[in-house]
Amino acid sequence: MMHRLFAADTGVTGPSGVAYKDDLYEAVNGQWEKKAVIPADRAGIGGFNDLSIAVEKQLIADLNNMGELESASDKPQLQQAVRLFQLALDFDRRNNEGFKPALSDYQRVSALTDFGEINDAAGALYEHFPLPFVLSVEPDMKDTAHNAVYAYGPSLILPDTTYYADGNPNRDALLKTWREMAIQLLMAAGEKRADAVSTADQALAFDKSLVPYVKSGEEWSDYPAMYNPESDADFTAHSQSLDLSKFLADLLPEKPDTVIVTEPRYFENLNKIVNPNTFTAMHSWMTINYLISVASYLSDDFRQLGDTFHRAISGSQESPNQAKSAYYLTNHYFSEVIGQYYGQKYFGDEARQDVRTMIQKMIAVYEERLNTNTWLSPATRQSAVKKLEKIVVKVGYPDKLRPVYSKLKVDRQASLFANARAFNIIFTRDMFSKQVKPVDRTEWGMPGSLVNAQYDPSRNDITFPAAILQAPFYSLRQSTSQNFGGIGAVIAHEISHAFDNNGAKFDEYGNLKNWWIKEDFAQFNKRTDAMVAEFDGLPYAGGKVNGKLILGENVADLGGMSAALAAAKEESDYDAQAFFINWARVWRGKYTQANMTARLATDPHAPNVLRANMQPRNFQEFYDAFHVEPGDGMYMDPEKRVHIW
């Protein structure tokens, strides 16, 4: 007999005493949420967070134990990770060294006086210091077998452009927190308070000048809109102050014919934003952002001071303790190494093959649903099936590590900062070197120790790290319906991203290409507009949901639930209640107010409560399972229910 991790409640109310038909999320999670306590160093708990905490705890313990054994001799990259962890954990040494390790670089950036100096040392400055643009090498969105050069604008101080609106109640308090943190960092670096105040105010002025031109979260949610190729000459002509040609020449193996501009509005105004008249403000912005970027590698006082603004944004009460901070830092540089170790030790190949079988089953279900689709023409349906069949599946952990990890050698005589500085250069140069190399489709976008999953439209691949492949998402102790309501829906969610409002514009090889019949795409847009309308304006955490921002993830949730439910119904022990209850349980979460506010502005996913409650309303199976009728809280009129995949 199948042993279940938890039994489906065949009654009308959940553990909290609330009826499933009135509020599925509250019925399943209300009792838990009342008792749940958010850890002081986190912005939330529940669902993904609970698994992340467990993974983090296990890996910190393992890194400590491996430190005593010097790691396994047949895993040289893991050995280097252990050495970096030891170096990061040596706070006696870090506290004794104070700011000294970063002093030389700080003096270098603070001594800059004009654009001539920036242009003369373009590549070297780019490798070490924040600048008001970002260059990257990634697969060309229209030719994904080859890499291309991309240009981005800078990040803002606040999480999104919407935070800067006059009516935003959080703007002034958050900017005040950032300003005070910046002043304290500058003084810790040796500046007088009057000078630090002036520098902080200049940096804030420069940040404010960026706001009208950088993209909002809603704009970033339109992924194909990133693709704006320009000739090398047109790109470098955007600035008469910054020598963009010099930056490209210093950083890239060869001169690019094309630069793909992701934020046209920003670069069209670059000359207005960055020029001799704004140099002082830009320089102040560079200096403070440099200090923030290096604070985590210095003394404990610096580390916690540099985390001040992040705590304000997230609502967490304190910084991670020293062991956690050492782990985060180590994982930042050795994520794939640690992820492979975690996957091999705690997941293993047998479980990996079992999940692969489940994924192939889900793909088969998805193919059947495409083939029987009633609103697609045969030509579009055939193209969709072809794309589905070409999806590359990555489960658990990569078999081989990227070659760049063999270049990371920890110098125990040098400071933690010096090691991190060297590693940053290695990773930056490795990224730029890809300009003249073909795209490696075997690379993973997520490490095995990350509790998450993803679909990459430019590679047409889906990735399921080992860390997410555990209860409540997946367990051999759960019923098939519970597993399909958890990991099954997650798997089908990632598959559905191939056919969401962004993924639908990419072909089977990940190229930005129209493969739709015009009338079919119009029908698709009509259905996605209905998805926007279903969520847009819903109240959450004192604000309102932006339906356009979360459209792609909502389409994927809807498609994921649709396919997972169809798969669950094929099993002999199908239990609709167990399916929907585990769906709601997976999304349980309790978050700080600040974190919920930030999520509303920046997170492309629907808030967890709405994610759990809104999608089931689109399925008749939910109404049948819990006898939902007009007047019940979970009821939605049939004509308002959305059906896409």
Side-chain angles (χ1 to χ4, degrees):
M1 184 175 72
M2 176 74 70
H3 175 75
R4 298 185 178 185
L5 190 63
F6 64 96
D9 187 336
T10 56
V12 295
T13 61
S16 64
V18 174
Y20 294 111
K21 65 181 183 178
D22 285 327
D23 189 331
L24 178 64
Y25 179 88
E26 185 67 21
V28 176
N29 302 309
Q31 186 180 48
W32 166 86
E33 192 166 331
K34 288 178 183 177
K35 297 178 180 179
V37 177
I38 300 172
D41 63 349
R42 283 186 170 263
I45 193 170
F48 286 75
N49 287 289
D50 289 348
L51 295 183
S52 295
I53 290 170
V55 170
E56 166 193 298
K57 184 178 180 180
Q58 184 65 66
L59 288 172
I60 289 173
D62 287 1
L63 286 168
N64 270 313
N65 292 335
M66 285 189 288
E68 298 170 7
L69 302 171
E70 267 299 288
S71 181
S73 60
D74 63 337
K75 295 183 181 295
Q77 292 93 341
L78 184 59
Q79 187 176 59
Q80 295 301 320
V82 171
R83 290 177 180 176
L84 186 67
F85 177 74
Q86 292 172 327
L87 204 58
L89 200 54
D90 188 354
F91 275 91
D92 287 341
R93 176 179 175 179
R94 290 172 62 174
N95 292 338
N96 286 333
E97 291 172 340
F99 186 62
K100 185 177 179 181
L103 180 60
S104 178
D105 276 353
Y106 175 72
Q107 291 174 336
R108 184 182 181 190
V109 67
S110 60
L112 294 171
T113 57
D114 59 40
F115 283 106
E117 292 176 277
I118 292 178
N119 292 329
D120 289 343
L125 280 175
Y126 184 93
E127 289 181 338
H128 298 298
F129 305 111
L131 287 165
F133 66 94
V134 176
L135 297 173
S136 178
V137 171
E138 305 164 30
D140 187 319
M141 288 168 67
K142 283 196 173 181
D143 179 17
T144 55
H146 299 92
N147 286 303
V149 180
Y150 285 72
Y152 296 82
S155 298
L156 298 173
I157 290 174
L158 298 180
D160 187 68
T161 57
T162 55
Y163 270 73
Y164 292 84
D166 288 338
N168 191 301
N170 302 298
R171 180 190 64 185
D172 293 344
L174 287 172
L175 290 177
K176 181 180 179 181
T177 299
W178 187 91
R179 180 178 183 269
E180 186 56 33
M181 177 188 71
I183 292 169
Q184 294 299 321
L185 283 170
L186 287 161
M187 292 174 64
E191 305 295 344
K192 296 179 180 178
R193 181 171 179 84
D195 293 334
V197 168
S198 176
T199 301
D201 288 340
Q202 288 279 358
L204 284 165
F206 186 72
D207 176 73
K208 185 177 181 179
S209 75
L210 302 174
V211 177
Y213 307 110
V214 300
K215 282 186 174 181
S216 66
E218 180 181 324
E219 289 175 303
W220 278 119
S221 69
D222 184 356
Y223 186 60
M226 290 172 52
Y227 196 79
N228 304 282
E230 296 182 355
S231 69
D232 171 66
D234 287 344
F235 173 70
T236 56
H238 283 306
S239 178
Q240 277 74 64
S241 301
L242 285 169
D243 189 346
L244 295 175
S245 293
K246 181 72 160 49
F247 280 95
L248 294 174
D250 285 1
L251 294 168
L252 297 168
E254 64 182 34
K255 184 177 181 180
D257 295 325
T258 302
V259 175
I260 298 170
V261 175
T262 63
E263 298 184 76
R265 183 171 65 242
Y266 177 77
F267 283 95
E268 287 165 4
N269 289 279
L270 182 60
N271 216 44
K272 178 165 60 176
I273 302 166
V274 178
N275 58 60
N277 293 330
T278 66
F279 176 80
T280 300
M282 185 192 83
H283 179 232
S284 296
W285 175 89
M286 288 174 58
T287 303
I288 294 171
N289 278 326
Y290 169 75
L291 288 174
I292 295 171
S293 71
V294 302
S296 60
Y297 308 116
L298 302 172
S299 68
D300 203 38
D301 287 343
F302 255 101
R303 175 182 76 89
Q304 297 201 46
L305 177 57
D307 190 45
T308 304
F309 186 66
H310 172 263
R311 294 198 300 274
I313 290 291
S314 68
S316 56
Q317 299 172 33
E318 60 186 42
S319 296
N321 63 32
Q322 293 181 351
K324 289 181 182 180
S325 71
Y327 166 71
Y328 296 150
L329 192 151
T330 305
N331 196 56
H332 174 70
Y333 291 105
F334 288 94
S335 61
E336 198 168 290
V337 177
I338 292 172
Q340 186 189 61
Y341 161 79
Y342 174 86
Q344 290 174 340
K345 182 168 183 178
Y346 297 106
F347 187 61
D349 193 60
E350 182 179 353
R352 181 160 65 163
Q353 297 312 316
D354 184 57
V355 174
R356 278 189 178 277
T357 300
M358 192 174 186
I359 293 170
Q360 293 306 322
K361 180 184 294 187
M362 195 61 64
I363 289 175
V365 169
Y366 219 100
E367 182 171 353
E368 181 181 354
R369 295 183 66 77
L370 287 173
N371 282 325
T372 57
N373 182 286
T374 58
W375 58 271
L376 288 178
S377 67
T380 303
R381 192 159 56 234
Q382 184 178 3
S383 295
V385 170
K386 187 196 311 184
K387 181 173 185 180
L388 180 70
E389 291 173 342
K390 290 286 186 181
I391 289 179
V392 176
V393 177
K394 298 174 179 177
V395 180
Y397 50 91
D399 290 315
K400 66 174 184 176
L401 300 172
R402 284 185 290 148
V404 66
Y405 287 106
S406 65
K407 300 178 182 179
L408 305 182
K409 308 293 184 185
V410 175
D411 181 353
R412 291 172 161 180
Q413 303 308 310
S415 66
L416 173 65
F417 170 84
N419 278 277
R421 185 181 188 275
F423 289 177
N424 288 337
I425 293 174
I426 289 171
F427 278 113
T428 299
R429 292 179 181 177
D430 178 73
M431 181 267 292
F432 283 126
S433 73
K434 294 178 181 179
Q435 182 204 10
V436 294
K437 299 175 183 177
V439 172
D440 182 357
R441 293 183 182 271
T442 67
E443 285 189 359
W444 282 50
M446 288 182 167
S449 53
L450 184 66
V451 182
N452 213 325
Q454 75 167 20
Y455 171 78
D456 184 342
S458 289
R459 296 176 188 267
N460 194 30
D461 69 11
I462 49 178
T463 303
F464 303 98
I468 198 175
L469 301 172
Q470 53 185 311
F473 293 96
Y474 166 78
S475 172
L476 294 174
R477 298 177 63 200
Q478 294 182 167
S479 72
T480 57
S481 289
Q482 289 169 327
N483 277 337
F484 278 118
I487 197 62
V490 171
I491 290 169
H493 168 103
E494 300 306 337
I495 295 171
S496 296
H497 272 309
F499 309 104
D500 69 13
N501 57 305
N502 287 317
K505 298 171 185 175
F506 294 80
D507 69 12
E508 68 270 26
Y509 297 108
N511 296 309
L512 186 58
K513 180 181 177 182
N514 181 23
W515 46 271
W516 289 73
I517 299 297
K518 183 178 179 181
E519 292 76 14
D520 291 348
F521 201 68
Q523 178 63 230
F524 175 73
N525 285 333
K526 181 179 178 181
R527 290 167 183 263
T528 58
D529 286 346
M531 188 88 266
V532 172
E534 186 172 295
F535 280 80
D536 198 50
L538 291 175
Y540 177 76
K544 291 185 177 181
V545 171
N546 181 341
K548 291 183 179 179
L549 172 65
I550 61 177
L551 174 59
E553 296 296 337
N554 279 339
V555 172
D557 272 352
L558 184 67
M561 177 169 281
S562 179
L565 188 57
K569 289 167 74 173
E570 292 181 1
E571 300 294 329
S572 60
D573 63 344
Y574 168 61
D575 181 340
Q577 286 195 350
F579 178 93
F580 288 110
I581 287 172
N582 203 33
W583 165 266
R585 185 171 186 253
V586 159
W587 301 120
R588 75 180 186 185
K590 187 174 184 178
Y591 304 97
T592 64
Q593 178 62 47
N595 180 261
M596 290 188 289
T597 299
R599 282 169 175 262
L600 268 181
T602 62
D603 193 343
H605 302 86
N608 63 309
V609 175
L610 300 178
R611 203 168 181 181
N613 271 354
M614 293 302 294
Q615 297 294 356
R617 298 181 188 189
N618 294 303
F619 295 89
Q620 186 58 42
E621 290 88 346
F622 175 74
Y623 294 84
D624 295 339
F626 296 107
H627 309 292
V628 183
E629 298 176 351
D632 294 332
M634 291 292 292
Y635 185 82
M636 182 188 293
D637 291 336
E639 63 271 14
K640 293 183 179 180
R641 299 173 196 172
V642 182
H643 303 282
I644 303 178
W645 303 117

